[in-house]
Amino acid sequence: MALVVLLALLVAWVVTSGGGAGDKDDSRPNGSGPAHSITPGPSGSGPAISQQPGGRDESDDSGGSGDSGSGTDAGSDGSGDGSDGGSGNSGSGPGPVSGGAVGQQVPAGSSIPDCTSSALQLTLRTELTYGPGRKPRFQLIAKNTSSADCKADFGPKSAVLTVTEAAGDEVWSSEDCPRNGAGVLLRVPAGSTIVHTVEWDRKKSAPHCATPPAGTPGPGTYLVEAKSPGEPLQRASFVLAKD
């Protein structure tokens, strides 16, 4: 009887020892309890990043279409007053002059002083080609480089225009038979440019209103010259086109 009791106590001890070892978790340090839940902190009122990476606003780097080489300097200043355009030393250029006003005529007794050669810069300009029936137009461009207004004579006997053929034969001159023999006094404001235009009717002329040579100027290249007292001779070439 005592042996049975002893065996029962031994079995109970073995069972209790094995069950305790199975319930123990050695992966965790002693005294650690179950993990606590983590609650998120207070959220901000706006986005976390307000700019693109790099610290600058890339939206301005694309460049608007209004600034893509549409400068007006060339432009606004590229056309100029028309007095500097030219081919070689002729002072001529294609197309009408921009930037110069039509000269204002003043009476012969005007108190405005005459323009001096040092203050007045004269240039000649005409189109390069004139089609059949078109009358060539010659533009005298006068620039006053002084600080005072002055007047200059652009009459046909003072600012003389002459047209010659390529071979050198004279065809027409403004002083041969002018419709108005009097001078054409024009005011040239200080620091400004004026334009005086003379139209050629494509007819020949002869000095002192004599009968001009027979025939009319045909297609080809012509030279126009402008001579004015105290000013360098100005030249420009143009073409009368064929039909």
Side-chain angles (χ1 to χ4, degrees):
M1 184 66 179
L3 181 59
V4 174
V5 173
L6 182 59
L7 291 174
L9 291 174
L10 182 61
V11 170
W13 179 81
V14 171
V15 170
T16 55
S17 299
D23 294 336
K24 184 177 180 181
D25 185 3
D26 293 332
S27 63
R28 221 177 36 232
N30 292 334
S32 62
H36 296 286
S37 62
I38 300 176
T39 58
S43 60
S45 59
I49 300 177
S50 60
Q51 291 182 333
Q52 298 185 14
R56 70 175 185 269
D57 189 356
E58 300 288 349
S59 64
D60 292 336
D61 294 340
S62 60
S65 59
D67 297 331
S68 58
S70 60
T72 58
D73 257 313
S76 62
D77 296 336
S79 62
D81 57 18
S83 61
D84 295 330
S87 54
N89 59 0
S90 67
S92 65
V97 174
S98 61
V102 176
Q104 177 187 0
Q105 190 166 354
V106 296
S110 172
S111 60
I112 299 175
D114 294 336
C115 296
T116 63
S117 57
S118 60
L120 196 67
Q121 293 180 355
L122 192 65
T123 313
L124 175 64
R125 187 180 176 100
T126 186
E127 293 185 35
L128 294 181
T129 304
Y130 293 92
R134 287 193 61 205
K135 297 178 180 180
R137 294 167 63 87
F138 310 129
Q139 294 177 320
L140 291 171
I141 306 153
K143 182 176 182 180
N144 183 0
T145 61
S146 71
S147 58
D149 292 3
C150 62
K151 66 179 184 293
D153 189 357
F154 288 84
K157 291 186 177 182
S158 181
V160 180
L161 291 168
T162 303
V163 175
T164 58
E165 296 177 331
D169 297 329
E170 184 175 308
V171 175
W172 172 85
S173 176
S174 63
E175 66 177 347
D176 280 348
C177 190
R179 296 178 181 176
N180 184 3
V184 180
L185 293 177
L186 299 180
R187 179 176 184 173
V188 188
S192 300
T193 300
I194 66 166
V195 179
H196 178 65
T197 303
V198 177
E199 187 177 80
W200 176 39
D201 59 6
R202 297 181 70 143
K203 296 179 180 179
K204 295 181 179 181
S205 67
H208 310 294
C209 293
T211 302
T216 57
T221 300
Y222 291 81
L223 180 70
V224 57
E225 294 182 343
K227 292 184 294 184
S228 185
E231 294 293 327
L233 181 66
Q234 302 292 323
R235 293 186 178 92
S237 60
F238 62 96
V239 173
L240 298 182
K242 296 180 180 181
D243 293 338

